[in-house]
Amino acid sequence: MAGLIARLKQYPPDALCMGTFWLEDDFLSLDGSLSEEEIAEAMRICDHRHDAGIGFNWDTLQFAIDHVKGR
């Protein structure tokens, strides 16, 4: 979250902006057994495999979770 906040602080409060972000709770809603370390790894997978044409969505989060869990 710190990286996102730092980037946003570079712009004035009234700058046009849009975006979406996902939090730990979003990953836990798909798999409540995830540890903090597994969530962090799933987030890294999402970040490294991000496709701007697809974006982040429930399917991309589930893919990353499945990869972390070895499914």
Side-chain angles (χ1 to χ4, degrees), residues 19-62:
T20 183
F21 62 95
W22 298 83
L23 299 169
E24 181 179 15
D25 288 346
D26 298 310
F27 286 82
L28 289 171
S29 73
L30 294 172
D31 185 332
S33 72
L34 289 166
S35 68
E36 189 172 321
E37 294 80 20
E38 289 171 325
I39 293 168
E41 180 60 21
M43 286 182 175
R44 279 190 286 278
I45 291 168
C46 287
D47 185 47
H48 291 143
R49 301 189 101 177
H50 181 255
D51 180 330
I54 298 171
F56 295 120
N57 58 53
W58 293 113
D59 291 336
T60 58
L61 271 62
Q62 188 64 61

